[in-house]
Amino acid sequence: MSLNLNIKQVKGNLQRLFDKNLTDLVRGLRNNKDNEASYIAQCIEEIKQELRIDNISVKCNAVAKLTYIQMCGYDISWAGFNVIEVMSSNKFTCKRVGYLAASQSFHPGTDLLMLTTNMIRKDLSSTNQYDAGVALSGLSCFISPDLSRDLANDIMTLMSSTKPYLRMKAVLMMYKVFLNHPEALRPAFPKLKEKLEDPDPGVQSAAVNVICELARKNPKNYLSLAPIFFKLMTTSTNNWMLIKIIKLFGALTPIEPRLGKKLIEPLTNLIHSTSAMSLLYECINTVIAVLISISSGMPNHIASIQLCVQKLRILIEDSDQNLKYLGLLAMSKILKTHPKSVQAHKDLILACLDDKDESIRLRALDLLYGMVSKKNLMEIVNKLLGHLERAEGSVYRDELLLKVIEICSQESYQHVTNFEWYLTVLVELIQLEAGSKHGSVIADQLLDVTIRVETVRKFSVNEMVNLINSFPCSSQTSTMYEVLYAAAWIVGEFTDQLEVPMETIKLFLQERTIPGHIQAVFVQNSIKILVHIIETSIQNGNIHDIKEAADIMEKNIQHFLSSGDIEVQERASATQMIVETVKSLLGNEIVSIKPVTNQDLLNDLNDHENGNDSATLTATVENSLPPGLVEIVADLKLLYEGELLPVAPKAQRKVQLPNGLNLDEWINGPPSESSSDEEEEDSKDGLFVSTSERNNERGSRKDSFEPTPEELEKIKEARKMLQAHNPNYLKSSPSSSRGNGEMKDYDNIDEIPIAELSLDVQLKVHSKTKRSDKYLEESRKAQRKEKKEEKSSKKSKKKSKKSKKHQVSESESEDEAHPVHLVNTMSELPEGATLSDNDDKNELDPNDPHRALDINLDIDDGFYGPSASSNNAASKTKSTIKNTIINDSNEVVKTKDKSRRKKKESEPNLLLEGELNENKKDKKKHKRKKETDDDMNLLDVTPSQMNEQKVKKSKKKSAKDDKDEDEKREKDKSKKHKKSSSASSKKRSEYEEAF
């Protein structure tokens, strides 16, 4: 029998020699790239056969192959039981494979995890540190709330292990436990705090990492650890741990500003001494955060800022693109609080715009956004426009265009002093970026500036007319067409600023390939221009202009009537009806108007002397016009009267719904299904062609006209004639052929003679200067003039304290130039609504695990339960009251008063435990605050000072103890005296009763 078993075992071992291992699987996958799926399916069948064998080594090999197959993207969830079986092996090599497979295939929602609790607990308590280590590593990948609750105590026990390897892994594992089971944070916090002072640097670094991650969302709970972290920061040489600690201090400083004052010196020392760029960057970031929080309490913080800016300049000038990006990022943080320190490095930021890396260019643009002032706005925008001309990449060019607009329009055009310059810049952006996707943004700016700045409207209207005239229209779809929408609306809305309204009507009704909604705006605003022409003609007595404008409108509106856009058709039809009505009312009245005689001239001269010329002339013209035309013009004018103000950004959401209005209710009843089917059939019959008709059309197309050879020859000759007369077509001529023959005779290319071209039209070379440059030159001249005046005024002034103060105030005001135009910041809102910025509130993520970890770690567990001490005290006072025997009348009154006082003090403790707890809360808060204050003061104490303080405390303690002993002796004497007096009074009372 035993022989048969041995034979079977040998046979099984021989078969295992031919099983595929992980190396064979990888080699087979590389050899079967074309049919990978079929090969893996075959391997999975083999693995399933191996998993049925009782040998644990075979199962371990199969699970290792399954792990690799899972890495390739195939599901192995069906082998969960086999993975757990390999995890429970006593061999470390098998156990490691099992935990690796579990870490990849298991997740917190896996149902099989409930089977692993006792097995993992057994591994955690193993004497072999590597078994516990591999269990901790695997558990971190699939730990669930249930596993966290059940294994928290076991992992906490490992935090006190004698082996640093296990302590480090246990400390790191506790972070995952805290996220899944926040209740474990309070009991584990004291041990975690101890690990900050662990002798092993790996354990110490792990504890720092865990606490820093916990404090990332809830820093106020870890303020009490500031002295320990301060000690680590000043003694540790581990750069990565220093980075974590400095990050934590950056989060703690806004909560405790006093901490920032103590951090400035060690941080500046690190900035001076460290050569690690990562640590330097974090130190600068924390210094910025510290100075922001304590800017009012630090008198010499400017030196620290200058140091940070100088170090950041070194980072930006570095050849490493990552360091350059980080330097620009940190510079943007300094810019928010100390813009003048960053503005001194404007040349460096502008040089970054020519960098090859697009992300660095975009970061430099963000910096320029904050560096702008009223004095340097024109110069910065001028350089950005020059950079836009030579920039490459449509995405970057669009971002650059958008940044130019954001720089100028920030804070309601705070830095723009001349809006004529800004409108010119917008027009130049349109010309530079005809295919940009930000056409709607430029259109909004044109509308906003023209509406808000009243003094610039005439300039804007004329610019928009020139823009419409010169805009290149093509069949390509682009959002830049939206600027035509804005230009047409501006010209139509402010027609009183037009110089040549008659030419503008022709320009508006010109046939061009633009989107339909923009054509509709052109047609609509042409009516506004017509009304303006009629009104001015009535005032000036020039009736011929009305007839001319009506003829132009009637002639040019025809092609809009056949537009494919229904909106354009409707507006063109309405415009045509208005024009026909005006012409029909005019009729032949122009001919019937009396010519102006000498008597009329004398009457007009007398009216002019009396100051009544325009009224008389208008009255004569209106009398000569039919009354219907005057009424129509007056009605049309009323349609476009009134000034439009910008609508506030949040006005729509502030509109209140009228009472009784239900937006979810049907206005009309929902259509029935039968009617919708009939409509679909009718629409199909009217719109679409049947298949038979389509086939007939295809057949007719095949029977197309085929030219004869003679006709083909004529077509060729006609084509040659067209090519000969086409100046854009390169033609072959006998002279060119001879020239080609002569080219062969020249051995050197430099010997070829240069041909002279005789051109009838002179070439025009456009200058590189832009129209916006003249405004920049004017501002520079004004600045030079101001500087000269300042120098002359400084020479005349005496050097005194008053003059110095005056000069400081002048230098502060020098940075701001005086605006040429005023901006109207009014915006329309619904009645009774006010503009507020708190409408959009960022809601916290409800699934954030750090929200549950916002726990005050300084409060004991007994704080939350009822206090038993108050109840005991109350019961004691009651018993003493009951046991006291009162004999003397004076003593009775005193004891009654005392008992009342005691009842008043004790009864609230028995009835209102909440108030007692609140009082204890206040006491504990005061105590914690005192402890944190003491911890803050400890940061500045030297060892010698600490020894002196200890000696003082011991002296105070001994003096206090002597005082307490004296008080006890006096109390004992008073008690003895009371006992003797009570005994004598008792005897007296007995004697009186007997008597």
Side-chain angles (χ1 to χ4, degrees), residues 387-400:
H387 183 67
L388 182 62
E389 292 178 356
R390 60 181 184 274
E392 297 180 357
S394 59
V395 177
Y396 175 65
R397 290 173 69 90
D398 287 339
E399 190 65 27
L400 188 58

Side-chain angles (χ1 to χ4, degrees), residues 272-460:
H272 281 294
S273 60
T274 185
S275 59
M277 292 298 180
S278 55
L279 181 58
L280 175 65
Y281 175 73
E282 291 301 333
C283 289
I284 292 172
N285 266 342
T286 307
V287 167
I288 295 167
V290 166
L291 293 177
I292 290 172
S293 61
I294 59 169
S295 57
S296 59
M298 281 288 292
N300 297 324
H301 66 280
I302 297 175
S304 302
I305 287 292
Q306 292 294 336
L307 174 63
C308 293
V309 171
Q310 289 173 5
K311 292 292 182 178
L312 288 177
R313 186 180 179 95
I314 296 172
L315 289 179
I316 296 172
E317 291 174 345
D318 198 279
S319 58
D320 190 353
Q321 301 289 349
N322 296 323
L323 294 178
K324 187 176 292 187
Y325 183 86
L326 290 175
L328 292 171
L329 188 64
M331 196 79 84
S332 63
K333 296 178 182 178
I334 298 177
L335 184 66
K336 295 176 183 178
T337 54
H338 300 82
K340 291 185 179 180
S341 300
V342 181
Q343 285 175 0
H345 304 275
K346 184 176 63 177
D347 55 339
L348 181 64
I349 308 302
L350 288 171
C352 291
L353 292 175
D354 297 322
D355 197 275
K356 295 179 182 179
D357 193 345
E358 188 173 332
S359 61
I360 291 175
R361 297 201 299 265
L362 294 175
R363 185 56 62 188
L365 285 176
D366 293 337
L367 264 175
L368 288 175
Y369 178 84
M371 294 170 62
V372 168
S373 64
K374 288 183 179 180
K375 293 189 74 174
N376 62 8
L377 174 65
M378 290 187 182
E379 183 181 357
I380 289 177
V381 171
N382 186 48
K383 291 183 179 179
L384 290 178
L385 288 177
H387 183 67
L388 182 62
E389 292 178 356
R390 60 181 184 274
E392 297 180 357
S394 59
V395 177
Y396 175 65
R397 290 173 69 90
D398 287 339
E399 190 65 27
L400 188 58
L401 182 146
L402 186 62
K403 192 59 66 175
V404 170
I405 295 174
E406 288 178 355
I407 285 173
C408 297
S409 62
Q410 59 178 315
E411 300 295 334
S412 298
Y413 313 100
Q414 178 184 2
H415 303 300
V416 179
T417 57
N418 191 332
F419 281 92
E420 291 183 4
W421 164 82
Y422 184 43
L423 286 171
T424 308
V425 168
L426 291 175
V427 173
E428 288 176 358
L429 288 175
I430 296 168
Q431 295 169 351
L432 283 172
E433 290 293 308
S436 175
K437 65 178 182 180
H438 294 304
S440 57
V441 179
I442 300 177
D444 291 341
Q445 287 294 298
L446 292 172
L447 290 170
D448 197 43
V449 170
T450 308
I451 292 170
R452 290 184 184 276
V453 188
E454 187 176 355
T455 54
V456 83
R457 285 176 185 169
K458 184 173 183 180
F459 179 82
S460 176

Side-chain angles (χ1 to χ4, degrees), residues 877-885:
T877 53
K878 285 188 175 182
S879 61
T880 53
I881 292 170
K882 289 178 181 178
N883 295 329
T884 52
I885 301 171

Side-chain angles (χ1 to χ4, degrees), residues 755-764:
E756 294 182 0
L757 297 176
S758 59
L759 298 175
D760 298 332
V761 183
Q762 294 182 356
L763 292 174
K764 291 182 179 179

Side-chain angles (χ1 to χ4, degrees), residues 788-853:
K788 288 181 180 178
E789 291 176 356
E790 287 165 10
K791 287 180 181 179
S792 60
S793 62
K794 283 179 182 178
K795 289 179 181 179
S796 61
K797 289 177 183 177
K798 294 180 180 179
K799 293 182 180 180
S800 62
K801 292 182 180 180
K802 294 181 181 180
S803 65
K804 283 182 181 179
K805 290 180 181 178
H806 184 65
Q807 287 174 10
V808 170
S809 62
E810 277 186 351
S811 62
E812 291 175 354
S813 63
E814 280 172 16
D815 296 336
E816 304 299 331
H818 298 289
V820 179
H821 308 104
L822 297 177
V823 184
N824 181 15
T825 57
M826 295 292 294
S827 55
E828 290 187 350
L829 279 170
E831 293 182 2
T834 57
L835 188 62
S836 60
D837 296 329
N838 299 325
D839 293 340
D840 299 327
K841 294 183 179 179
N842 296 325
E843 296 182 356
L844 297 173
D845 185 9
N847 299 321
D848 187 6
H850 290 85
R851 293 185 66 186
L853 291 172

Side-chain angles (χ1 to χ4, degrees), residues 10 96 161 305 316 318 839 871 875-876 949 965:
V10 171
R96 183 174 58 182
S161 174
I305 287 292
I316 296 172
D318 198 279
D839 293 340
N871 298 337
S875 61
K876 284 180 182 179
Q949 288 180 0
E965 288 178 1

Side-chain angles (χ1 to χ4, degrees), residues 132 153 271 305 351 643 685 705 745 759 854 911:
N153 291 329
I271 291 173
I305 287 292
E643 186 176 357
D685 294 337
F705 170 73
D745 299 333
L759 298 175
D854 191 4
L911 298 175

